[in-house]
Amino acid sequence: MGLLTEGSPLSWEETKRLAEHVRQHGVLQFINLYKRLKDRQWDVLKWGDEVEYIIVKFNQEKRTAKVSLRAQELLAKLNEKEHADPEKAKSLWRPEYGAYMVEGTPGKPYGGLLAHFNIVESNMKYRRDEVSQLLKNGEVIMSLTNFPRLGCPDFTDPPTQPTPNEGVTRSLFFPDEAIYNGHPRFKTLSRNIRMRRGEKVSINLPIFKDVHTKIPVDESYLHSKAAEPDKVYMDAMGFGMGCCCLQLTFQACNLTEARTLYDQLAPLCPIMLALSAASPIYRGFLTDVDCRWNVISASVDCRTEEERGLVPLKNNKFVINKSRYDSIDSYLSEVGEKFNDVPLIYDEQIYNKLRENDIDHLLSQHIAHLFIRDTVSLFSEKVHQNDEVDTDHFENIQSTNWQTMRFKPPPPNSTIGWRVEFRPCEVQITDFENAAIVCFVVLLTRVILSYQLNFLIPISKVDENMQRAQKRNACREEKFWFRKNITTCVSPPEANQYCMQGKTNSDCDVYEPMTINEIINGKEGEFPGLVPLINNYLTGMDVDADTHCTIQQYLKLIQQRASGNVLTTASWIRKFVLSHPDYKNDSKVTDTINYDLLNQLKQIQSGEVPCQELLGYSTVSKTKETIPSVFSCPE
Ligand code: ADP
Ligand code: MG
Ligand code: MG
């Protein structure tokens, strides 16, 4: 979850008073950083994944599954190896929002070798095993996007109670004790977001209407004006930030390449969200959505009524059309400029300041747009900084703009270059699936750069796609705006056969609704398909047999998910609930159904139970712990 500064958090009133201070110094810090690092060149491809997990506690006698609030205890142990010798650690562990969550990354980023694709899954397995060894009887670590009964009565182990009238969250459902307590950041954010907004956050998800579904779905509306009776109502940051996701970070060779990757991957975010959909159940109800995105977005929506456009502006500066957690609002590269069709709200003064310092229009407006937000977490030790070297104020705003893509400048005094982070994906049940998504996206970045592909469509269409991506069965049933002509003159003839010969570039700016199947697998005579393009890129590349086999299995899974031959995690979960003998066609996921569902997923993740419906026909994994001695470089 980005930056974790140590220290004592200021009260909301003090934080609010210092909002302008953080903004002014944050921008200066960015300007200084930019001047130092804008010409940094020749960084090589490095990349890494982040996987978030939930600790689930099963009770076999009572047939219940709860979240286990032991993350802090586990992290103390998990961090020991890194503390003893950061160079040797094979994994790195970080806290996340939930007191039942942990985040794991590989000990070191991967590099530009194809053979690295063959160690990703093995490292993920290593991480899972590492946590498993520390668990108590009945506890299981699961890469579940959302715990289905999060916020239901008695969903935690040990038991806790929500406190609607006090504490940081004041939720009817989500107790403060379910928030990670080993660092003040998470509780401070929860309190400040609520206070800045002027009321609790509110999330209303459409329910999946089955034949016996009752409306109102429950009694929430009697307790809260914000609750819509026909929706699944949630009122806490934990409902969103307590979800798990799968993220990827890539290092670019320089600033320009980072801007290109940021832009080119942005239209792929909704596509990958739909393809990785894994969360159809919220607060014990089957909903009509398959993904977490809108839930998190609303769960940290700190905009005031003025900013949401509900009452006229008086104390605030802007009406803002999105939460600070949402899809990106503008492209950063030159080719992206003409697709920035949504009027961008930004701080004029900050924009001018950036421009005066020779930062170009697109980057200036991006930063000035991020900086329309106030800090929502400030630590007393960090108020006064040296803007020549520190970047905490910049990071403060940057790391609480949770967007589909993040443009990451090099950290101060490090060997790390300009990076972009790909943030839309939901986390999958097995290491195999997570590795498949990760490798697919990394391969796609190589193809984008080598063939100079162009995926750009207007930002407004990307926004539309984000909403479509979350609908029930979107992966199989929805259509998404997608660019028809993605190849450019440098792309090889095989890929270029779909280019409209002799047309100018703007004639090629055609986008149309496509299914995920068409986007991933191609459409005869009309669209090449992302996997065929990757395969084309891989042809003739020197790669050892095991790595080749692994990559092909990953691509096959992606293709089968896209074609609908294999279910998305969300569809699989939905199907399990709908066909459970206890299910009463009332959209309710009871304790028993929850237990059976998680128990089944546990057996699938460990490989005890094969599941072709979800995983396709994968053969024995050939992934390795270290890269083989014979390898080849894709660059
Ligand atoms: P955040 O929480 O800001 O997204 P993390 O530190 O949790 O960042 O994760 C960073 C990810 O970036 C990890 O997957 C890590 O392996 C990867 N990574 C580390 N160094 C580099 C680098 N130089 N280039 C690209 N990725 C890197
Ligand atoms: Mg991240
Ligand atoms: Mg992280």
Side-chain angles (χ1 to χ4, degrees), residues 80-92 107-108:
E80 277 172 7
K81 284 185 203 138
E82 181 190 351
H83 289 159
D85 188 352
E87 279 303 300
K88 285 217 188 92
K90 285 170 72 177
S91 60
L92 302 176
K108 286 214 174 53

Side-chain angles (χ1 to χ4, degrees), residues 413-424:
N413 305 317
S414 83
T415 55
I416 300 175
W418 293 91
R419 292 150 304 149
V420 297
E421 186 180 9
F422 188 75
R423 306 165 46 85

Side-chain angles (χ1 to χ4, degrees), residues 1-2 50 103 247 249 406 408 421 423:
M1 197 165 150
E50 294 169 67
E103 177 191 284
Q247 297 176 335
T249 296
R406 187 176 282 162
K408 293 177 167 179
E421 186 180 9
R423 306 165 46 85

Side-chain angles (χ1 to χ4, degrees), residues 108-158:
K108 286 214 174 53
Y110 303 108
L113 306 176
L114 279 182
H116 284 156
F117 293 123
N118 208 24
I119 57 176
V120 175
E121 188 179 335
S122 158
N123 187 272
M124 287 177 176
K125 181 171 183 306
Y126 172 86
R127 279 180 250 166
R128 211 181 274 268
D129 291 346
E130 203 180 4
V131 179
S132 300
Q133 282 162 18
L134 304 173
L135 296 179
K136 292 186 177 160
N137 232 345
E139 282 179 335
V140 179
I141 175 169
M142 299 183 77
S143 40
L144 264 182
T145 295
N146 186 26
F147 183 79
R149 286 183 58 84
L150 199 78
C152 292
D154 215 13
F155 76 100
T156 66
D157 181 87

Side-chain angles (χ1 to χ4, degrees), residues 516-543:
I516 299 267
N517 187 30
E518 288 163 352
I519 294 167
I520 299 288
N521 293 318
K523 193 174 169 187
E524 190 68 42
E526 289 187 48
F527 186 76
L530 303 182
V531 169
L533 280 170
I534 290 176
N535 274 324
N536 190 58
Y537 167 82
L538 290 170
T539 307
M541 221 166 246
D542 195 16
V543 57

